Amino acid sequence: VDSSLQMQIQQVFFRTTFRVMGRIAKADGHVSPAEIEAANNIMSQMGLNGDMRKQAIQYFTEGKDAHFDLSSDLSHLKDILSQQTSLAQMFLEIQLSVAYSDGELTLSERRILDRLCRDLGISAFQFEWIHSRVKAAIAGGWHSSQQGSNSRGRASKSSELATAYAVLGVKADISDAELKKEYRKLMSQHHPDKLVAKGLPAEMMKLAKEKTQEIQTAYDKIRQARKG
């Protein structure tokens, strides 16, 4: 991607990420403190300060307004994502982590995500695969937004292992060779430098790094259990 196109993609991705985040947060009629905290966490993880943070908050506020038309943003993003499926994955992972910030995915949030996928040309199968992986990481307390909570200490070995398989999106009876292949594919799809080269805003690199850490942890746990 040449640098001017890369910059354009980054701007569209950044703007649409926060506007859609606002729309999902307001899906059930009000924005909960947990949703505001989740959006703030993402801004902090991205290291957004000063004008960039103000800009993100402005986009989030615009998206919360039900009368604000997201169709132009979404059609621009669709053009970008049709070429870059790994960016589509990252986009949905960010939105799902905000949607789950209050502990569950409500029906109204689910409707917005379904519409979003239709507008962006993301198949129901692809969405479900990404959704189940994000859900597993959150339920297992692996998700970056929950770091520091002690849920990890309480998880049993067997449930940690089940979470590890779910985070990789594979079944427990997968062969070692297939497991390695899936792990490498996921690592490659979430590779921060590759994503930034495709147009992920550089500020979101940290989020991609956290995803690769989740994937790495899951793979290491399974490898260890299989050796043991």
Side-chain angles (χ1 to χ4, degrees), residues 3 8 39 41 51 68 87 95 110 115 143-144 181 200:
S3 58
Q8 204 183 332
N41 279 348
D51 290 345
F68 186 87
L87 278 184
Q95 300 304 342
R110 178 69 208 228
R115 209 201 109 206
H143 203 263
S144 48
K181 197 169 135 191
L200 183 79

Side-chain angles (χ1 to χ4, degrees), residues 104-207:
E104 59 171 357
L105 187 64
T106 64
L107 192 59
S108 42
E109 287 168 341
R110 178 69 208 228
R111 280 199 194 110
I112 290 179
L113 285 162
D114 285 344
R115 209 201 109 206
L116 195 64
C117 288
R118 280 200 303 278
D119 289 346
L120 295 174
I122 295 165
S123 73
F125 175 80
Q126 192 189 2
F127 172 75
E128 272 316 321
W129 185 73
I130 294 167
H131 179 201
S132 61
R133 288 182 41 247
V134 170
K135 198 170 157 185
I138 291 171
W142 295 27
H143 203 263
S144 48
S145 64
Q146 300 151 304
Q147 310 242 308
S149 72
N150 59 1
S151 54
R152 214 174 272 187
R154 291 195 301 270
S156 70
K157 275 276 189 292
S158 62
S159 74
E160 279 230 316
L161 198 55
T163 298
Y165 281 112
V167 166
L168 295 184
V170 297
K171 292 196 160 57
D173 60 1
I174 191 172
S175 71
D176 288 353
E178 277 298 312
L179 175 70
K180 192 175 197 174
K181 197 169 135 191
E182 285 304 313
Y183 154 73
R184 283 185 167 161
K185 191 167 98 184
L186 274 178
M187 286 297 269
S188 171
Q189 285 169 345
H190 290 84
H191 193 289
D193 296 327
K194 283 186 186 172
L195 284 170
V196 169
K198 287 173 177 176
L200 183 79
E203 298 79 25
M204 295 192 185
M205 228 175 151
K206 263 175 137 175
L207 302 179

Side-chain angles (χ1 to χ4, degrees), residues 62-124:
E62 286 167 356
K64 280 193 311 189
D65 179 356
H67 301 294
F68 186 87
D69 187 6
L70 287 173
S71 55
S72 155
D73 282 337
L74 293 174
S75 89
H76 280 134
L77 192 63
K78 183 182 183 177
D79 292 343
I80 292 162
L81 300 186
S82 62
Q83 313 294 317
Q84 315 284 10
T85 50
S86 45
L87 278 184
Q89 194 161 303
M90 197 68 210
F91 182 80
L92 281 178
E93 284 171 356
I94 293 170
Q95 300 304 342
L96 279 161
S97 62
V98 172
Y100 269 106
S101 59
D102 46 6
E104 59 171 357
L105 187 64
T106 64
L107 192 59
S108 42
E109 287 168 341
R110 178 69 208 228
R111 280 199 194 110
I112 290 179
L113 285 162
D114 285 344
R115 209 201 109 206
L116 195 64
C117 288
R118 280 200 303 278
D119 289 346
L120 295 174
I122 295 165
S123 73

Side-chain angles (χ1 to χ4, degrees), residues 9-62:
I9 292 173
Q10 288 178 341
Q11 285 167 353
V12 171
F13 195 96
F14 185 87
R15 186 171 68 229
T16 312
T17 294
F18 285 102
R19 280 180 176 160
V20 168
M21 208 184 275
R23 185 62 49 95
I24 289 172
K26 191 73 185 280
D28 45 8
H30 71 284
V31 182
S32 73
E35 286 161 334
I36 290 174
E37 194 189 342
N40 272 322
N41 279 348
I42 285 174
M43 291 177 205
S44 299
Q45 281 167 272
M46 288 167 68
L48 294 189
N49 296 310
D51 290 345
M52 284 291 271
R53 198 178 186 102
K54 271 188 207 143
Q55 189 69 80
I57 291 168
Q58 188 192 326
Y59 290 145
F60 184 83
T61 307
E62 286 167 356

